[in-house]
Amino acid sequence: MSEPALNDALIAAHGLTPEEYTRILEIIGRAPSFTELGIFSAMWNEHCSYKSSKKWLRTLPTSGPQVICGPGENAGVVDIGDGQAVVFKMESHNHPSYIEPYQGAATGVGGILRDVFTMGARPIAAMNALSFGEPSHPKTPHLVRGVVEGIGGYGNSFGVPTVGGEVRFHPAYNGNCLVNAFAAGLADADKIFYSAASGVGMPVVYLGAKTGRDGVGGATMASAEFDDTIEEKRPTVQVGDPFTEKRLLEACLELMASGAVISIQDMGAAGLTCSAVEMGDKGGLGIKLQLDDVPQRETGMSAYEMMLSESQERMLMVLKPEREAEARAIFEKWDLDFAIVGETIAEDRFVILHGNEIKADLPLSELSSSAPEYDRPWIETPAAAPLAEAPAITALDGLRALIGSPSYAHKAWVWEQYDSQVMADTIRTPGLGAGIVRVHGTEKALAFTSDVTPRYVRANPFEGGKQAVAEAYRNLCAVGAKPLASTDNLNFGNPEKPEIMGQFVGAIKGIGAACAALDMPIVSGNVSLYNETDGRAILPTPTIGAVGLIDRVDQIISGLPEDGDLALVIGETAGHLGQSALLTEALGIEGGDAPPVDLALERRNGEFLRANRGLVKAACDLSDGGLALAAFEMAEAAGLGVTIDSKDIGALFGEDQARYLIAASFDQAEALMVAAGQAGVTLAMVGRFGGDTVTLGADSAPLHDLSHRYRTSFARAIGSA
């Protein structure tokens, strides 16, 4: 099959600038073949090279005594004691999910699970963070239903519990939904598998499902804005098979246990190209591939298609040659393809053979570690104007607006489609705070959460970045977990626009400051840029996924308030209403500054809660919706009414940071007051739980009426009531 002649339009269609193409000519001293152009395009796009973000990602704290492996591998690895490690990462599948929501979301789950078990870990938990346009937009209900079904369809079939996440709606996501998928697994700390190839002449082995034409060009598509040609991009979306992935998991873990594996890499973005290049580059070796030996499910595939296919459920491995027969037998037992498709070579070359022809012969290191890196111009986000006046609204009207909004209504419609109990180790299911999973066979447990408030980041990227980490920290502390480490999924618009790049830089600085202050290093992550349609960007959405450790399951704070319990708030309340959920949902106002985040106070208050968890029946952090929404959610989950004494709208709905709402008996509250005084922590009684009404200051309403609104608004908003 002859390859098309290169021209300016074809080069631009591959996402390469004229300057980048000139650099390619300088590197190889000639015009590239069509296959070589595709390889450069895949390796140099934002999705694989991080060329616009590398400069700033390097500033993040990524190490600590608990960190076994930080960014740069398939997933991060953190020590949890007793010779065990938790392996985790969060990654986006935004563009594919907008084009084809079911398969886009499903393959996002599949990809993040492979990132985890490629490291030798068995997945034990999944989460997702979803952002959609306004419910009234004609495409939103279709996207919500498709994405949720895709996540459930893949995760449930694979057999991993989905234990948490978040869902938000905002007009800024009308043209670009966000699907951020998180997975975590367990491994022995001394049996982690890495991707760096080693040894010359070692066989390069293809594992898993056959290669097809699905997903060709997917990584390049994910590094570009959308426009009115979006439907033409549907063929770039991959198709997943969770049952094949489950078999791939078991085969890989069995092969890893045999000692036959030198290195292994998931075939994710850019498929064979990215996996082979990364393995070779990390090991300082070249790679030669013979594409005639690649298992294919379609006929007549070109070298270009095979190198850029993103068919799912595939791995690439460097194998000890004397163990080939044993390895092949394992994969044949699991009814999966096993094929030697190449070898490692001493020269710095990436050689692709197909049909007795050399289709590509490139310096391998130039494709990965020498990819372009840009210091994009950026403009600092201007300071937000303060709020002109307090909102004129009654407390109950404010609460009704929040619990009737799909962003804050009960999300059972979403998480009831996910299996949260598979594997039988889930202790706390989605619905109220961080998810918790027992470390199988031990008394330990791990807590998982994901958090960001995009409107804060838009108003004040630095404080918004800090707040995303701080809220994740609080969600872990609120269940009694010691925060260990974080993963980030940085979703932004076009980085070539200085104001968008300014959002990114500010958020990174805030995230870095918070991770350092709260001892939550970033150990893995993903950057998703160009989330724009027709020039309109999403809200800056740097999602933070975090993991915490609970030494013994009897230390978990997971109860609910009981009739007669007191409601107390840890932390200082000033009534900050700028960028609050109340203004947005009740009044349609997105004004004011984001709340300031005092990181020393965050740490002190979080440590106080964990140290005194034996005196606490129930706890949750105060964030969106402030005290009023948190008190309602906690009481409603227990089937109780609640009375909050304050009449002040700022005190009820303000989103001051470093605060927790806790429920405690009278005796427990007395002991907590003494402990708070000794620790220098602010603790105030704000009300009590009980009865069958919700009272905010002077306003009351039946719990039953509010609960019905809370539990039906989400399905009604997306037309699935």
Side-chain angles (χ1 to χ4, degrees):
M1 182 185 298
S2 61
E3 296 191 340
L6 301 190
N7 54 46
D8 291 346
L10 194 58
I11 293 165
H14 280 75
L16 294 165
T17 66
E19 294 77 17
E20 288 169 345
Y21 184 69
T22 298
R23 182 169 174 177
I24 291 171
L25 297 179
E26 292 170 352
I27 288 172
I28 64 177
R30 56 176 172 78
S33 68
F34 183 59
T35 300
E36 289 173 333
L37 181 72
I39 289 170
F40 270 108
S41 166
M43 293 306 303
W44 284 14
N45 65 52
E46 293 285 356
H47 196 78
C48 294
S49 73
Y50 296 93
K51 60 189 176 186
S52 295
S53 56
K54 279 191 290 192
K55 169 185 168 67
W56 297 102
L57 296 177
R58 292 193 190 102
T59 68
L60 292 170
T62 59
S63 60
Q66 72 274 43
V67 178
I68 295 172
C69 176
E73 278 291 338
N74 288 287
V77 186
V78 175
D79 193 343
I80 61 169
D82 304 312
Q84 293 179 298
V86 58
V87 179
F88 63 96
K89 185 183 182 183
M90 180 173 267
E91 193 164 69
S92 62
H93 231 221
N94 302 334
H95 286 60
S97 297
Y98 187 78
I99 296 169
E100 211 299 296
Y102 184 95
Q103 290 296 346
T107 53
V109 174
I112 200 67
L113 290 169
R114 286 195 304 281
D115 282 337
V116 166
F117 71 76
T118 301
M119 304 290 292
R122 179 174 291 277
I124 61 164
M127 294 190 298
N128 51 82
L130 312 176
S131 302
F132 298 104
E134 54 195 333
S136 60
H137 188 276
K139 194 160 186 175
T140 297
H142 164 70
L143 290 172
V144 174
R145 289 192 289 267
V147 164
V148 171
E149 288 172 8
I151 290 169
Y154 203 101
N156 297 352
S157 300
F158 177 85
V160 62
T162 298
V163 299
E166 53 184 343
V167 186
R168 69 178 56 84
F169 296 82
H170 190 280
Y173 303 104
N174 281 348
N176 283 85
C177 66
L178 301 184
V179 175
N180 294 174
F182 170 99
L186 283 176
D188 291 338
D190 61 350
K191 294 177 182 174
I192 305 299
F193 286 82
Y194 299 99
S195 58
S198 65
V200 175
M202 297 294 111
V204 175
V205 184
Y206 174 114
L207 307 169
K210 289 179 167 59
T211 293
R213 290 186 171 91
D214 50 319
V216 173
T220 301
M221 176 271 293
S223 303
E225 295 181 37
F226 283 154
D227 53 29
D228 57 10
T229 65
I230 184 171
E231 286 301 319
E232 298 172 11
K233 296 180 171 67
R234 188 174 298 273
T236 63
V237 178
Q238 312 93 326
V239 177
D241 178 356
F243 301 105
T244 297
E245 178 122 330
K246 173 64 173 174
R247 288 184 285 120
L248 183 62
L249 161 72
E250 300 299 343
C252 284
L253 293 183
E254 184 175 342
L255 184 58
M256 290 167 171
S258 75
V261 178
I262 295 175
S263 62
I264 188 166
Q265 173 74 36
D266 162 41
M267 280 196 235
L272 261 173
T273 291
C274 193
S275 55
V277 169
E278 288 189 1
M279 291 176 78
D281 188 57
K282 289 175 183 176
L285 295 169
I287 299 281
K288 180 186 291 185
L289 296 180
Q290 173 52 264
L291 298 187
D292 295 318
D293 297 327
V294 170
Q296 301 162 53
R297 69 167 186 262
E298 300 185 47
T299 59
M301 291 188 70
S302 67
Y304 178 95
E305 290 171 328
M306 278 191 274
M307 292 306 297
L308 298 186
S309 167
E310 294 182 11
S311 295
Q312 296 293 285
E313 293 87 41
R314 301 181 301 158
M315 298 280 196
L316 202 63
M317 176 183 72
V318 176
L319 176 73
K320 294 178 181 177
E322 69 275 12
R323 309 295 290 275
E324 178 189 340
E326 179 183 0
R328 185 183 298 276
I330 290 172
F331 273 77
E332 288 178 350
K333 180 184 75 174
W334 287 100
D335 194 24
L336 293 165
D337 278 293
F338 177 100
I340 295 177
V341 296
E343 63 177 344
T344 59
I345 58 177
E347 300 83 8
D348 178 23
R349 294 171 63 200
F350 189 40
V351 181
I352 309 300
L353 303 170
H354 186 225
N356 297 318
E357 292 182 27
I358 296 177
K359 295 295 186 179
D361 189 350
L362 301 169
L364 186 144
S365 62
E366 299 285 355
L367 294 167
S368 181
S369 56
S370 298
E373 181 176 334
Y374 296 122
D375 185 2
R376 302 277 191 198
W378 59 279
I379 297 172
E380 187 170 353
T381 302
L387 282 178
E389 56 186 358
I393 190 170
T394 68
L396 276 177
D397 283 347
L399 180 61
R400 288 190 183 99
L402 288 175
I403 63 177
S405 156
S407 288
Y408 300 106
H410 199 255
K411 301 297 192 306
W413 184 92
V414 175
W415 51 258
E416 284 180 354
Q417 297 187 52
Y418 307 148
D419 189 339
S420 61
Q421 296 293 340
V422 65
M423 301 180 76
D425 280 315
T426 303
I427 295 173
R428 199 176 202 224
T429 58
L432 193 65
I436 306 174
V437 173
R438 183 193 299 271
V439 178
H440 192 76
T442 76
E443 282 299 302
K444 295 183 296 188
L446 291 165
F448 305 98
T449 186
S450 66
D451 298 283
V452 67
T453 308
R455 62 181 183 277
Y456 291 173
V457 186
R458 182 176 62 180
N460 189 325
F462 180 69
E463 290 298 330
K466 285 165 60 180
Q467 192 275 340
V469 178
E471 186 174 346
Y473 176 86
R474 289 198 302 272
N475 273 326
L476 296 176
C477 290
V479 297
K482 178 183 179 181
L484 288 179
S486 313
T487 180
D488 57 8
N489 202 150
L490 308 174
N491 309 273
F492 289 82
N494 185 344
E496 297 168 44
K497 297 177 179 178
E499 64 274 15
I500 298 294
M501 197 65 204
Q503 293 175 343
F504 183 86
V505 172
I508 285 281
K509 289 181 177 181
I511 290 168
C515 286
L518 301 175
D519 193 21
M520 290 170 60
I522 298 285
V523 298
S524 59
N526 172 246
V527 178
S528 176
L529 302 176
Y530 295 96
N531 290 289
E532 298 199 9
T533 296
D534 295 327
R536 292 189 294 273
I538 60 164
L539 292 180
T541 311
T543 308
I544 299 295
V547 177
L549 178 66
I550 302 165
D551 290 328
R552 296 196 320 271
V553 293
D554 60 4
Q555 297 176 337
I556 296 170
I557 306 171
S558 63
L560 293 171
E562 299 173 2
D563 197 354
D565 282 348
L566 301 180
L568 303 100
V569 169
I570 298 172
E572 299 172 7
T573 299
H576 183 97
L577 287 169
Q579 297 298 326
S580 65
L582 176 72
L583 291 187
T584 302
E585 300 297 341
L587 301 171
I589 299 171
E590 296 187 17
D593 200 359
V597 180
D598 183 331
L599 294 169
L601 197 61
E602 291 282 2
R603 184 156 191 159
R604 185 168 71 215
N605 290 354
E607 289 177 347
F608 172 80
L609 175 57
R610 296 203 313 273
N612 292 279
R613 55 191 155 197
L615 298 172
V616 175
K617 289 187 181 178
C620 68
D621 88 297
L622 295 189
S623 51
D624 285 37
L627 172 61
L629 183 58
F632 169 78
E633 289 178 341
M634 187 182 283
E636 198 272 347
L640 294 172
V642 63
T643 297
I644 302 298
D645 297 324
S646 178
K647 302 176 183 178
D648 181 70
I649 292 296
L652 289 168
F653 294 96
E655 297 179 4
D656 307 285
Q657 301 294 295
R659 297 187 303 155
Y660 300 83
L661 172 64
I662 60 175
S665 69
F666 182 83
D667 290 343
Q668 289 172 324
E670 277 195 324
L672 282 167
M673 287 290 186
V674 172
Q678 295 171 342
V681 168
T682 299
L683 179 66
M685 193 186 87
V686 296
R688 63 209 59 82
F689 295 95
D692 57 5
T693 62
V694 174
T695 301
L696 302 177
D699 299 338
S700 294
L703 172 66
H704 175 270
D705 293 351
L706 295 174
S707 180
H708 178 75
R709 181 180 181 87
Y710 178 54
R711 289 181 177 264
T712 60
S713 292
F714 187 94
R716 189 167 56 249
I718 62 165
S720 292

